Amino acid sequence: MDRFEITCRIIKECNKDIKVGGYGIRMDYGRADRKEFLSMWTKREYQPDFISIYYNSYERGSDGLDTFAKRSSDDDGFVHLIEKELAVIAAAGMGGLPVYITHWNLTPSDRNYIHDTNFKGAYIVKNVIDLWGKTASMAYSVGSDIQCVSFDTPKVLFGGGGLLAKDGFLKPSGFAFYFLNRLFPCLVGKDKNYLVTTDGHDNYRIVCHNQQKLNYNYYLTPETDLEKESMWKYYESRCKLKLQLQLQGVREGNYCIKVNRINDWNGNVLGIWKEMGYENELSKNDIRHFRRVCEPKLTIKEANTQNGMLAVDEELSANEIALISIKYVMS
């Protein structure tokens, strides 16, 4: 706290509008200790302008040592921990401060092939939907596999945590953010598997997912030993999801519905690499081909309203993500 006050005072003397905050502690640290720490902070001369936290899907081991952790098997662990942390912050007297998630990911491991799967795209969409409106921001880490490159990463894909592969093409996790970034600014509603937005001018965009839970095979296998050829065996099920949405109070008329989707047959970078025999030394032409074929699938259809209601029915395969764009055409 002394170092924070010194740093904060210097920065504020340069520009009082600059925001300075913290504290970036792991959320599996004792809640009572975190509350006491934050309560003490409220009594200091310089207090944070925001609270920063980070998340990886790990939990403290039974021996209580900070260096010992294990993967969390709670599929909703992220939102559960954030809700508990927000309660701790409020109880400590800092409930009015914005909360920034400055780093989040399923795992900090950069040698885990789960990062290269469709599951990871669905995982990102799921957690953004779950945490929508609960925090001021969510900063995913990391952006590119280039940040994870080392002497042992000659392969095109090696389980890096980035949204981009080291050769520059988007992985399913990258397309998850591409879909989220195309949402409109006004929230219509959301549920476990989808989020509906509008621009207020009779156009809608919906992002949805069918994330499957990871099973005991995943949690019992060392992260560096996951088999890229058989990633299917690390999920509890491979169930399809039927989404049947009804948008009510929409303008009467015809609508054009465009659906972009990432699934096992479209944008599946591990599947594309498998078709190339898991070749490590791809030429520039091979990489260009890779970029072209890992794009989402696009389908277009028309739909009509019935009594001010527009039906949207889609089926998602296991770990599929989709962006549904609905545009008003004419009455």
Side-chain angles (χ1 to χ4, degrees):
M1 289 185 183
D2 291 337
R3 288 196 292 269
F4 176 86
E5 288 197 346
I6 294 170
T7 305
C8 188
R9 183 178 67 251
I10 293 171
I11 292 173
K12 295 290 186 178
E13 287 174 354
C14 296
N15 187 335
K16 60 182 177 59
D17 294 327
I18 293 178
K19 305 299 182 184
V20 185
Y23 54 139
I25 198 168
R26 272 173 44 178
M27 288 183 291
D28 64 350
Y29 199 72
R31 262 179 288 177
D33 295 332
R34 298 203 311 279
K35 179 184 174 183
E36 181 182 0
F37 179 88
L38 292 173
S39 298
M40 291 171 58
W41 213 350
T42 63
K43 299 177 176 63
R44 303 291 293 227
E45 179 182 359
Y46 287 89
Q47 299 173 22
D49 296 313
F50 59 86
I51 298 295
S52 64
I53 55 183
Y54 74 89
Y55 173 80
N56 288 117
S57 186
Y58 280 72
E59 56 189 34
R60 188 172 299 274
S62 58
D63 64 357
L65 297 177
D66 185 70
T67 55
F68 179 75
K70 60 181 179 180
R71 281 171 281 176
S72 171
S73 59
D74 183 359
D75 191 52
D76 298 312
F78 196 0
V79 66
H80 288 163
L81 274 178
I82 291 297
E83 289 174 345
K84 291 177 182 178
E85 188 68 15
L86 293 175
V88 169
I89 293 169
M94 290 188 170
L97 295 181
V99 175
Y100 300 129
I101 302 173
T102 56
H103 173 121
W104 70 279
N105 204 321
L106 173 69
T107 167
S109 172
D110 289 320
R111 302 296 182 270
N112 183 336
Y113 276 112
I114 202 73
H115 288 305
D116 302 322
T117 62
N118 294 336
F119 165 86
K120 194 61 184 298
Y123 172 84
I124 288 172
V125 172
K126 173 194 183 302
N127 282 288
V128 170
I129 291 175
D130 287 348
L131 288 164
W132 191 275
K134 293 184 181 294
T135 62
S137 69
M138 296 173 62
Y140 180 88
S141 179
V142 294
S144 171
D145 282 355
I146 290 178
Q147 296 171 254
C148 320
V149 167
S150 186
F151 67 92
D152 63 340
T153 55
K155 301 177 181 178
V156 175
L157 298 169
F158 53 86
L163 306 175
L164 286 160
K166 67 177 184 178
D167 291 302
F169 51 83
L170 281 174
K171 299 194 288 186
S173 55
F175 279 111
F177 278 104
Y178 175 74
F179 288 176
L180 291 163
N181 195 46
R182 294 184 64 189
L183 292 174
F184 288 128
C186 301
L187 176 67
V188 174
K190 72 184 186 77
D191 205 347
K192 182 178 179 180
N193 295 95
Y194 64 85
L195 186 145
V196 185
T197 63
T198 181
D199 62 356
H201 298 284
D202 305 311
N203 301 308
Y204 303 86
R205 282 183 183 157
I206 305 168
V207 68
C208 48
H209 74 88
N210 184 22
Q211 187 227 279
Q212 306 295 295
K213 292 182 180 180
L214 296 168
N215 66 12
Y216 70 95
N217 277 329
Y218 175 79
Y219 296 112
L220 294 178
T221 303
E223 294 187 64
T224 55
D225 294 340
L226 296 181
E227 300 175 13
K228 63 180 182 296
E229 302 87 355
S230 307
M231 294 302 294
W232 53 267
K233 70 182 183 181
Y234 301 116
Y235 310 121
E236 281 191 5
S237 63
R238 300 283 294 168
C239 298
K240 294 181 179 180
L241 173 68
K242 287 188 177 181
L243 282 181
Q244 295 178 312
L245 309 181
Q246 292 184 335
L247 302 180
Q248 299 180 351
V250 301
R251 183 179 178 182
E252 291 286 355
N254 301 325
Y255 287 80
C256 176
I257 301 179
K258 297 182 180 180
V259 182
N260 292 93
R261 55 179 81 238
I262 295 289
N263 52 34
D264 285 345
W265 307 276
N266 304 279
N268 178 9
V269 294
L270 273 180
I272 296 168
W273 191 29
K274 180 180 179 180
E275 292 175 353
M276 296 181 171
Y278 297 116
E279 176 61 43
N280 292 329
E281 298 181 6
L282 298 181
S283 67
K284 291 183 178 180
N285 286 332
D286 295 335
I287 295 298
R288 279 195 289 266
H289 170 76
F290 212 130
R291 290 175 179 170
R292 287 195 301 270
V293 298
C294 76
E295 290 290 314
K297 180 180 180 179
L298 171 63
T299 57
I300 303 175
K301 59 185 177 182
E302 291 186 357
N304 301 315
T305 56
Q306 298 288 337
N307 300 320
M309 184 180 301
L310 183 67
V312 181
D313 297 331
E314 292 294 336
E315 184 175 85
L316 275 64
S317 60
N319 291 321
E320 181 172 346
I321 59 174
L323 175 70
I324 305 171
S325 302
I326 304 171
K327 183 177 181 181
Y328 176 76
V329 180
M330 65 176 70
S331 59

